[in-house]
Amino acid sequence: MAGERTRQAQQRNRRNGSRFPGTASPPAGSSGEHEELAVGRRGFLKAAGFGLMLAGCRQAPLEKAIPFLIPPEEIVPGRSLYYASTCTACPAACGLLAKTRDGRPIKLEGNPAHPLSRGALCALGQASILGLYDKWRPRNPRHQGQDTSWEQIDAQIMERLEGLRRGGGALRLLTGTLNSPALEAVVKRFLAGFPDARRISYDPVSRSAILDAHLQTHGKRVLPRYRFDRAEVILSFDADFLGTWISPVEHTAGYREARSPDVETPRRCYHVQVESRLSLTGSKADRRIVAAPHEHGPLAVQLAAALADLAGESFPGEVQRNEGLAQRVEPLARMLWRARRRSLVVSGSPDPAFQTACNYLNELLGNYGRTLELGPASRQREGDDGALAGLLEELGRGEVGALLVWGVDPVFELPLEGRWETLLEQVPLMISLDDRLTETCGLADYFCPDHHYLESWGDREPVEGVLSLLQPCIEPLGRTRPLIESLSAWMGDSRPAYELLREHWRSALFPRQRQETSFDAFWDRALHDGVAQIEPESRSFSEARFEPRMFGDGSREVSPAEGEFSLVLYPKVGILDGRHADNPWLQELPDPISKATWGNYACLAPLAAEAIGVREGDLIRLGAVAGQGPELELPVLVQPGQHERVVAVALGYGGKATRRFAGIGPRWLEAGETVGNDGRVGVNSAPFIRLQARHLVYSGVPVRLSPTGERRQLARTQLYDAITVPASLALPGGERRPAVKEVTWEELFDPHLPVEPGTHSEHGSSQDLWPDDHPYTGRRWAMTIDLDACTGCSACVIACQVENNIPVVGRDEVRRQREMHWLRIDRYYWGQGENLRVAHQPMPCQHCQNAPCETVCPVLATVHSAEGLNQQVYNRCVGTRYCANNCPYKVRRFNWFDYAHEDELENLVLNPDVTVRSRGVMEKCSFCVQRIQEAKIEAKRRGVELRDGEIQSACQQTCPASAIVFGNINDAGSRVAQLAQSARHYRVLEELNVKPAVAYLKLVSRPDPQEEGHG
Amino acid sequence: MANPAVSLREPLIAGRKTSAQVSRDICAVLDRRPTALWWSAFLLALSTLLLGVAAVGYQISVGIGTWGLNRTVGWAFDITNFVFWVGIGHAGTLISAVLFLLRQPWRTSVNRSAEAMTIFAVICAGLFPVIHMGRPWLAFWMIPYPNWRGPLWINFRSPLVWDFFAILTYFTISLVFWYVGLVPDLATIRDRTAPGLRRRLLSFLSLGWDGSQRTWQRYETVYKLLAGLATPLVISVHTIVSWDFATSLIPGWHTTLLPPYFVAGAIFSGMSMVLTLMIVARKVMRLEDYITRQHIDKMCKVTLATGLMVGFAYVIEFFTALYSGNQYEQFVFVNRALGPFWWSYWIMVGCNVAIPQLFWLRRVRRTVWAVLVISIVINVGMWFERFVIIVTSLHRDFLPAAWSSYAPTWIEIATLAGSFGLFFTCFLLFCRFVPVIAISEVKGVLSVGRQFDEPLPPPAGARPLRAVPAAAGAVAQTEATQ
Amino acid sequence: MKSSIATYTLLVALVFSLLALGQRARGFRLPGDQQGYEPVQPIAFSHRLHAGDLEIDCHYCHSGAERSRHAGIPATGTCMNCHRFVTASWGAVREENRRAQREERPPRRLLSPEIAKLYGHLGLDPNGEMGPGSQASPLSWIRIHSLPDFAYFDHRAHSVAGLGCPTCHGPVETMERVRQQESLSMGWCVNCHRQTRTGIQGAPVEASLDCSTCHY
């Protein structure tokens, strides 16, 4: 038996071995010495303590200084260079600037020149840099799991393709959304070389229905470009457009623009969210309508009918009269009607009939061409579920001679009862071209790994006419090759990606632009800016027409029977479809709503949890009603604001790639594992995705829940969710904590209402013990965070983590409330049911003027700077944790262990301007003091004054809603000083008179526009 | 007992001892080979100590993470134990200094071991501030010493620094005070031991004591002076310890009530610890005649008194909070009583306020086993008091999002056990090598509660020793003259 | 009587021990204090010759000092700006020329052993040509002025403020082999910052005393 087990173990090891190559040695020019020094430092510090032990050793460890032989131009050691490129973490293709130091990217910043993302990045984009230094990333082409050379593999593949060509067999290229003009051109040429070749693309989280609906109604399969910035009423059916839907960064920026009270003419956009679970977007909605998935369809149809009445038209689809519903939608209808041409209806539903209804609504409201555009349309999703279904049929009939896969992982993403494995096994020639080891790669005969996007040349066209360029920021770390090169190589064209790209731009794209006369000028500017505008291809689409059949038979989704729940599978912020689930930063990123990390869980409404008698952390079994079919075991998370008959589970977890996290985090006697019993993080819920009537369906499956009696405690960073203290412990007047303050739109803009003045002036009588401690004669740094703008998307959290070398601590440590994030986003609930209100409150170090932490530190390790920074001096800290105890905001983080920095390759991402902290010292947000220093010194060097906005903290830089403003509050002209005058301005725990340098702008509650007169 | 005068005051020292007997009885413990009971106790204590050493060693080599602390609860067992032990220390100084100045004859039988207890307790206490640091190897940075960093001084505004000095002072004074009190007895033992290394050592330690009138007078003066010096410390030390909390702004810590509250609590816990030790000691070392029910009774009264103060503090705490109208303040206290850590709060109240009320009953005060049980209960309660103050205040403070919980790891529990191991190891060694009762002082109070007309019994057999009668006489005189 | 003898002996002992300690004390240095560190470098490059006699400006080689945090060790190629032509001491060259004239032959190109090392690292043959199969190899100097990782010193700020290199590096132009002149201890930095608050050569500078000036 034991022998048996060991053999299995060996086999497993061998499989792992073949799957994951051993640690790669860092490339030339890397600072392999960084780690060595870090250790040296720790050694030094300890030694410094045991002074006597040091009597013998006179010199610190010998240090070498190795200069370049021939210096590359523009590289000055110690100076950063920024290269404009494009994020490909998701198809939204946001623009970014890659900060490189000594030839290696260390941080991604949003590209302000980019018309869509406008200088912001999401959490995913911020974290995607770690993928570059991922030691598990394939570094060689493989044949049957054996490393080989490109020459060999090319020879073999070309021979087999040649055979296919002659035999007239079918070749299929399966990709995700591929909105790259140059690549598409090459693909087209490649496919043209075969008698029967096609590209099929699908999106793991499908938006196909939107395109299909438009094919029906507008005669063109397009994805509209949604202009939330122009909307005044937004109605969203389960579309999480601020979190995960199509292009969150772009949408968030637009959304904020449409709702900003601080501009000349304040804009109050009213947002209604119809959803079955509490999404990030729902948490910002002015009104939430909680409805089970199967209720959305009828609701939309009723609404369409009601609007048709208002418009004096007859609704083409058939409606079963339902007074209850009718009354419910009536006010909505009127609100939308009042805001016609300035309203927007969006839906996350994968059902084309439903999307057709939305199109009808938008058409009726005259929103087309205003709040949503079909030309230039968006190209951020192109997946076609119908084509995918077709491919599956072809595979089933064994008609496919060769299958090339790039950018998708069907085996993991859409198992469909394991059909893929069986089908792919039979494909004679299967080639995987992905940049990572997907689970589909395991079935491929040939694996031709792609570059990481920071290594490669390329382009993207997120919106027609908007070109976004990718350029390499580092030498490829492995012997990988971009898809575009692989394909053209198999066409006998061995040009590098750079030339292929330029050639396509010269021939196809340059003619479509007006600004530049010479191509080189055009190219250079595009390369510098990262983006270029060209004439969109004239995409004609017919007048909208609607026929009854398009609306389908009401709703496809079946309502769950008594005792059953309807399952909702949702993409989670940071994880999405799971292609980045191998990224420890994203795994440890608290979910903006549930605040849970490391793994997925079954969200249940409080009432539902009560009904089946479970509480948070209880393991429940989720099974299809039919009995056979997929089963999941998940811990429960009780989620307020969710529908009682719904159980929501996140997609993208439980992949093989997460096995790498076994053993992450500090190892000690009572350390717990990060991975589950199956050695993975979370459970893959994709088996519940159905391909139904040629469309992927993610929600509405009726399931049974049965408690298993076991428990698996969730690793949540916030244990108490409400802004009110537990009712059983509350004394009258003390129920609600004033951390989050609200103001209604009326209070803000009604001149008659008295508005409490901004609290920038020293609050209260402010009697200080040491009044003249801090004169602040020069600059004084301060930050303002707009609670109304903040959506909780958590991009700032990751940005901060990357910028400040914040370690990942693993599931068990998070469970012990020891996460290290310097920037924590507090999420508070108040209210009940549909009136549940949510606030997201980013909570960095408040840099108090009368900092409680400073007085108590015995060794002066945390002290105040002349410019108002609360400085933490790691090398002086002895770790009494007194400061953390005395911090009313609890923003200080302690190094409980020596956190891992052994991965030489991963260490390349460390920011050389920030000390890597050792065990036993306190740390916290520094207002990115390294950036302040750099800017100050640089200004001094150039002999100019620091301008406002020149220094941006990492969190501020990446914020899609521009909710964070940082600057010198002593400069009256600075934005932060102006915001201090705002009527929404307040400070958290002001009454303690600690005088924080961080201030907040109050949440704005926008009452229903029809309640007060003006529409 | 025909004479009513007799029953007015019962003798302090039972068994009609002569001075010679006193020396013999008390030194007998030192002459005897250790009993099996002592050995087993010692081995038990030693092994727990080693367990603690292992735990601390592991914690220092791996990290504070091996404790159950988290981002919100930065202190728990470590500082709880620290305050607990400092508190224990108090009784020593109180008994030896304050009661001495107040001329309480009954202190003589217990002061020696109480002071010893103080010293050991402070050693245990002093340990925790060091090992609770993230980087204990840099603990010396707490000392203001000239350095090459600018120079960079320490933060004199930090209560931790005051603490550091307070504890150090307290330890030094206690040690000196204890040693000075020990000198005459060391001389006594010296005279009883045959020439040899041990004797030479003793004669060195007894500073050439010759029992002459002069030595006695000098001794008395010094002792009084030290007593005077030590007295303010009884107040200062724990006051300063309480400032660690009182000067912070965490609701539940930030209150002016803490200093008196802490001092009372300290004496309370110290007394109960003395009781525990004495009751065991008198049984094991057959000193019932010297530590009589009367002593126990008196200590019980002190305990009761301080216990009432502590109980009063508990009430006032709540009142202040409710009256303050400060929602954070109010919540913390409601949360203490009814929140997740309600059990620790009610253990504290039960052990420190409810149960000690039994001491009102003379019967209870006079039943040794009952007193033993209660005193142990009080020690438990006082440990929980500190736990409640520290953990329940921290775990739910201002911002609900930062609220957290706390559970100790085995490492922490082992460390706590280890500190007890250290304490008892030291104490057992002390019982073995030092007279647990101040011989000379006891001789001074032999007469207390005896009728003066009744003659002292003739020396029972044993040949009186040289130095002793003189010494005893001297004391008798001094006592008489006052 | 006896006691007095004891006292005297004690006094004498004390004096001796103090003397002994004094001896040790001078040799005593803090861990990490590298003052006077003067390691042998792979190439015996003479700052006395280049910076002293030839008066080459520091920034010519250490060009980072004004543009970047690090002054930087010059790229090996930089040396070739001169040493493509200057290959041996002037004396040797003149001697060779004279001999060449005597023997009526073109003078041979001389290559001093140290410069030969330089050529070797760049993979050049004695004539400065990229010889076939010649292997370039990085030249690793031994770092002398190095601060611990948690201290961030920035050359820009100091050169802009008008501090000359010698302030911290000492009279390098007189050093055959570079030696760490100053202790580079925190106190040394801080005290300088304290003094220069008034300004350097009259020019006002804000030499900050904030911890975060160097530690972050």
Side-chain angles (χ1 to χ4, degrees), chain B residues 347 349-359 364 373-375 377-378:
Chain B
I347 290 177
V349 172
C351 296
N352 297 347
V353 183
I355 295 175
Q357 300 312 319
L358 290 169
F359 279 154
V364 177
V373 172
I374 295 177
S375 65
V377 165
I378 292 175

Side-chain angles (χ1 to χ4, degrees), chain A residues 85-108:
Chain A
S85 187
T86 307
C87 174
T88 66
C90 83
C94 302
L96 60 78
L97 299 174
K99 177 185 185 183
T100 67
R101 176 68 73 80
D102 303 334
R104 59 175 212 272
I106 56 170
K107 174 80 169 64
L108 304 181

